[in-house]
Amino acid sequence: MNIEHIARIADLNARYAEAIDADRLEAWPDFFLDDGCYRITTAENVAQGLPLSMMYATSRAMLRDRVTALREANVYEGQRYRHVLGTPLIAAAGVGSLRARTGFMVARVMQTGETMLFATGCYEDRIALDGPDGARFAEKTVVLDSRQVDTLLAIPL
Amino acid sequence: MNIEHIARIADLNARYAEAIDADRLEAWPDFFLDDGCYRITTAENVAQGLPLSMMYATSRAMLRDRVTALREANVYEGQRYRHVLGTPLIAAAGVGSLRARTGFMVARVMQTGETMLFATGCYEDRIALDGPDGARFAEKTVVLDSRQVDTLLAIPL
Amino acid sequence: MNIEHIARIADLNARYAEAIDADRLEAWPDFFLDDGCYRITTAENVAQGLPLSMMYATSRAMLRDRVTALREANVYEGQRYRHVLGTPLIAAAGVGSLRARTGFMVARVMQTGETMLFATGCYEDRIALDGPDGARFAEKTVVLDSRQVDTLLAIPL
């Protein structure tokens, strides 16, 4: 167990979640490398070896495009998210990078005030530690516990 | 990133939440400085620059009065809370004090056993680190994600 | 406050929760000493000094039997859990062991995809730190906030 690694990943995760929850979506792509991958799938797909994804992006530019589309469509305006994350488990560490798994719960708060437990799951991340701008996600796979994916999966998880 | 700061704030937050969740409300004011401020507001109010608060106290004595009132009114007896908090983000540090933001979810458990996700939001805290009794809140602002505030906001958040 | 102790317990807790949430129940007994105790009770029972338990096991062998029974009965198949845990509070430390309290929320995700906040409460743990296989639970008492215990308490908490 490397306390500094865990603390750095917990800090990265907390800043990532806070950017989304505070509706600073324009900052969201900056948590990824230029060629970072972002994917949302389900535990069921993973268990069956299916490569299906609810969302799949292979660069920071694609993530920026998505944020622009969200802002223009305004589909997400009536809601906000609140993430609570677990302690990251460092699965493997290489030179300047590591893999981590972090459980999460996300609540969705509608503009009416209605609050619901929206999504639970696990982040499976590969993180580059020592870039010029600090730690960044090289890969983030969001593995949802539920097969029932809300069609209005507007805001990133 | 200062691991010791993060660990100290996470510990303070965990003790704060535990005092409330274990119904040791009499210990709650002790987490504040004598002239500590406690405020509950909403993200909507903050975004609009409105100074509205659901609750506002400017001293530890006011917090003690509130606990006394709660105990006498017994309004809170049929329920308990359970907080789960995120990793604190240290926003700025001065000499012997710092600012931190911490996301939270609170569940409410009624005496019947019914459990619901009651509140989500963010603590915006200014913390005095080096008092004779350890770290204390100089200011704690509870920013709720939902505009729909339960009228029975009995127990502190 | 001992940062290393807190980090070790947070790591143990995260691995414990992840084993359950990823349906690796066969690994669950390995988080306990050979003569480890596991008990599920409610805050109401604890407050009234009642020794009632929803579940009580006094050895790792009993926990293994339980997992075998669960796998054979297949009662748990239609659901999975997701734990999110708080920062552990180290209550007391002895030579090579310590006591910790950790708040938790558990969501239950049914095979249909339906997600609900299932249980909240507090782990009251005694942990042996320095065994040949690392930290292990000597005692884990799960104190549920709700008196209303689901009769289908299939998966361990």
Side-chain angles (χ1 to χ4, degrees):
Chain A
M1 200 193 62
N2 180 318
I3 293 180
E4 200 198 321
H5 279 175
I6 295 172
R8 287 190 66 184
I9 304 309
D11 180 66
L12 175 67
N13 284 345
R15 287 185 287 112
Y16 175 91
E18 203 261 349
I20 296 171
D21 294 350
D23 194 29
R24 295 189 290 103
L25 297 186
E26 283 70 16
W28 173 59
D30 295 335
F31 289 93
F32 292 82
L33 295 181
D34 276 354
D35 59 350
C37 287
Y38 177 78
R39 185 182 164 216
I40 302 179
T41 186
T42 66
E44 194 178 32
N45 285 344
V46 171
Q48 298 178 357
L50 298 175
L52 301 172
S53 300
M54 258 70 61
M55 185 181 157
Y56 188 48
T58 55
S59 71
R60 181 153 41 168
M62 286 176 71
L63 299 177
R64 288 202 199 288
D65 284 351
R66 183 165 177 87
V67 172
T68 303
L70 283 171
R71 292 297 191 199
E72 285 172 358
N74 269 345
V75 287
Y76 64 89
E77 274 225 67
Q79 54 187 288
R80 50 195 303 152
Y81 284 177
R82 177 60 57 188
H83 290 67
V84 177
L85 311 181
T87 300
L89 288 169
I90 310 296
V95 177
S97 83
L98 48 78
R99 289 185 177 276
R101 313 187 69 191
T102 311
F104 67 82
M105 287 189 193
V106 178
R108 184 168 69 178
V109 183
M110 305 308 286
Q111 204 155 28
T112 57
E114 190 198 351
T115 300
M116 66 172 294
L117 183 58
F118 173 61
T120 69
C122 182
Y123 292 129
E124 310 232 2
D125 297 327
R126 191 159 57 82
I127 294 153
L129 289 173
D130 301 319
D133 304 309
R136 289 287 182 276
F137 294 109
E139 287 174 40
K140 175 177 276 294
T141 303
V142 184
V143 183
L144 296 172
D145 291 326
S146 174
R147 70 192 319 182
Q148 193 183 45
V149 180
D150 197 295
T151 51
L152 195 67
L153 195 60
I155 312 176
L157 285 168
Chain B
M1 199 193 64
N2 180 317
I3 292 181
E4 200 197 320
H5 279 175
I6 294 173
R8 286 190 67 186
I9 305 308
D11 180 66
L12 175 67
N13 284 345
R15 287 185 287 111
Y16 175 91
E18 203 260 348
I20 297 170
D21 294 350
D23 194 29
R24 294 189 291 102
L25 296 186
E26 283 71 16
W28 172 60
D30 296 334
F31 288 93
F32 292 82
L33 294 182
D34 276 353
D35 59 350
C37 287
Y38 177 78
R39 184 181 165 218
I40 302 179
T41 186
T42 66
E44 194 177 34
N45 285 344
V46 170
Q48 298 179 357
L50 298 175
L52 301 173
S53 300
M54 259 70 62
M55 186 181 157
Y56 188 48
T58 56
S59 71
R60 181 153 41 169
M62 285 176 72
L63 299 177
R64 288 202 199 289
D65 285 350
R66 185 167 175 87
V67 172
T68 303
L70 283 172
R71 291 297 192 199
E72 286 172 357
N74 269 345
V75 287
Y76 64 90
E77 274 226 68
Q79 55 187 289
R80 51 195 303 152
Y81 284 177
R82 176 60 57 187
H83 290 67
V84 178
L85 310 181
T87 300
L89 288 169
I90 310 297
V95 178
S97 83
L98 48 78
R99 290 187 176 275
R101 313 187 69 190
T102 311
F104 66 82
M105 287 189 194
V106 178
R108 185 168 68 178
V109 183
M110 305 308 287
Q111 204 154 29
T112 57
E114 191 198 350
T115 300
M116 66 173 294
L117 183 57
F118 172 61
T120 69
C122 182
Y123 292 129
E124 310 232 1
D125 298 326
R126 191 161 56 83
I127 295 151
L129 289 173
D130 301 319
D133 304 309
R136 289 286 182 277
F137 294 108
E139 286 173 40
K140 175 179 275 293
T141 303
V142 184
V143 183
L144 297 171
D145 291 326
S146 173
R147 71 194 316 185
Q148 193 182 46
V149 180
D150 197 296
T151 52
L152 195 67
L153 196 59
I155 312 176
L157 285 167
Chain C
M1 200 194 63
N2 180 318
I3 293 181
E4 199 198 321
H5 279 175
I6 294 172
R8 287 190 67 184
I9 304 309
D11 180 67
L12 174 67
N13 284 345
R15 288 185 287 112
Y16 175 91
E18 202 261 348
I20 296 171
D21 294 350
D23 193 29
R24 294 190 291 102
L25 297 186
E26 283 71 15
W28 171 61
D30 295 335
F31 289 92
F32 292 82
L33 295 182
D34 276 355
D35 60 349
C37 287
Y38 177 77
R39 184 181 165 217
I40 302 178
T41 186
T42 66
E44 194 178 32
N45 285 344
V46 170
Q48 298 179 358
L50 297 174
L52 301 172
S53 300
M54 259 69 62
M55 186 182 157
Y56 188 48
T58 55
S59 71
R60 179 151 44 167
M62 285 176 72
L63 299 177
R64 288 202 198 290
D65 285 350
R66 184 166 176 88
V67 172
T68 303
L70 283 172
R71 291 299 192 198
E72 286 172 357
N74 269 347
V75 287
Y76 64 89
E77 275 227 66
Q79 55 187 287
R80 50 195 304 152
Y81 283 177
R82 176 60 57 188
H83 290 67
V84 178
L85 311 181
T87 300
L89 288 169
I90 309 297
V95 178
S97 83
L98 48 78
R99 288 187 177 275
R101 313 187 70 191
T102 310
F104 67 82
M105 287 189 193
V106 177
R108 184 168 70 178
V109 183
M110 305 309 287
Q111 204 153 28
T112 56
E114 190 197 352
T115 300
M116 65 173 293
L117 183 57
F118 173 60
T120 69
C122 182
Y123 293 129
E124 310 232 2
D125 297 327
R126 192 161 56 83
I127 295 152
L129 289 173
D130 301 318
D133 304 309
R136 289 285 182 276
F137 294 109
E139 286 174 41
K140 176 178 274 294
T141 302
V142 183
V143 183
L144 297 171
D145 291 325
S146 173
R147 72 196 313 186
Q148 193 183 46
V149 180
D150 197 296
T151 52
L152 194 68
L153 195 59
I155 311 177
L157 284 168

